[in-house]
Amino acid sequence: MNQEEIKQIIPHRDNMLLVQEAEVMDGVARAKYHVSGEEWFLKGHFPGNPVVPGVVLCEMMAQGACVLLAGQATSDVTPMFTSLDKARFKNPVRPGDTLESQSTITKHKGPFYWCEAKGYVDGKLCVSAEFSFALVKGGDK
């Protein structure tokens, strides 16, 4: 999927759409975001030594995971982040890097979905986390 196709699934838009490409194969969502260096979150984190903030890395992975929910959701729901657990940051992500995330749904009950995700740069693990979403009625994408 390209960014226009992703916009049909998740409600995020500039400057918060943090997935540029995504695909789902065999129950795994693979998403990519290339860090150009011009992003708003790098301006103060950190001057002279820009590093993508951990919370932004988690958001990138969560948005990538939301493409898995496309087959589960109707057009009148919005995936809302409900929890973040076991976030681990192993290596920094910097301008020029492409974060490639892999996400799987581990559990589902009613409108709630639990996922695991890992983010890599050039095959090297940078971040991992577990999180959950609720599919909430009433959102336009």
Side-chain angles (χ1 to χ4, degrees), residues 50-83:
V51 176
V52 178
V55 68
V56 174
L57 294 173
C58 290
E59 179 68 22
M60 289 173 176
M61 291 190 309
Q63 288 183 25
C66 282
V67 301
L68 282 170
L69 304 178
Q72 315 294 323
T74 60
S75 62
D76 66 337
V77 296
T78 300
M80 302 294 282
F81 217 154
T82 57
S83 73

Side-chain angles (χ1 to χ4, degrees), residues 3-20:
Q3 227 174 18
E4 290 306 311
E5 293 166 315
I6 294 165
K7 286 180 183 178
Q8 301 303 310
I9 298 170
I10 64 175
H12 302 78
R13 299 296 181 264
D14 291 337
N15 290 327
M16 280 303 297
L17 182 57
L18 300 172
V19 176
Q20 294 166 328

Side-chain angles (χ1 to χ4, degrees), residues 32-48:
K32 293 182 182 181
Y33 183 86
H34 179 74
V35 182
S36 70
E38 298 301 316
E39 290 83 1
W40 59 271
F41 49 80
L42 292 174
K43 292 184 185 345
H45 197 271
F46 301 100

Side-chain angles (χ1 to χ4, degrees), residues 70-138:
Q72 315 294 323
T74 60
S75 62
D76 66 337
V77 296
T78 300
M80 302 294 282
F81 217 154
T82 57
S83 73
L84 173 65
D85 293 308
K86 299 181 183 172
R88 301 289 183 262
F89 306 98
K90 305 286 186 182
N91 291 289
V93 178
R94 302 179 183 281
D97 289 343
T98 298
L99 183 75
E100 298 183 34
S101 65
Q102 296 180 6
S103 307
T104 57
I105 294 173
T106 57
K107 186 167 86 171
H108 152 247
K109 184 174 182 178
F112 295 95
Y113 290 81
W114 287 263
C115 300
E116 291 180 344
K118 293 182 179 181
Y120 301 87
V121 171
D122 295 328
K124 187 181 220 181
L125 181 64
C126 295
V127 58
S128 62
E130 296 176 1
F131 39 83
S132 63
F133 301 95
L135 300 182
V136 178
K137 288 195 180 293

